[in-house]
Amino acid sequence: REHIMPEFFSLSAAYPNPFNPTTTVNFSIPVDNNVILEVYDINGRLIKVLHRDIIDAGYHAVVWNALNGPCT
């Protein structure tokens, strides 16, 4: 079975939006790369670091549960 790899970087809108208390963020990267995925409030303050590490190329999803604490 052949794996289809993304051709470009993409970041989809979080869903569901609005959420209570979890939301999912989908993204794709065409090559192995360092990925930093952060959530900011409307005033530009960092709320949560969802991911900060190297990820293999491909399609990915991160689920954020806002009940796990407001800030990282």
Side-chain angles (χ1 to χ4, degrees):
R1 182 170 149 162
E2 186 177 333
H3 292 284
I4 298 173
M5 297 303 288
E7 294 180 18
F8 52 88
F9 293 89
S10 71
L11 176 66
S12 299
Y15 72 90
N17 186 7
F19 65 94
N20 186 16
T22 63
T23 190
T24 302
V25 178
N26 290 306
F27 63 95
S28 64
I29 56 175
V31 295
D32 297 0
N33 213 323
N34 188 41
V35 172
I36 301 171
L37 188 58
E38 301 172 330
V39 176
Y40 290 84
D41 70 13
I42 196 165
N43 295 313
R45 292 180 296 225
L46 178 63
I47 300 298
K48 185 76 172 176
V49 176
L50 301 178
H51 188 85
R52 183 178 286 159
D53 203 354
I54 294 174
I55 293 184
D56 294 337
Y59 296 92
H60 303 276
V62 174
V63 176
W64 176 39
N65 184 340
L67 295 178
N68 290 341
C71 209
T72 298

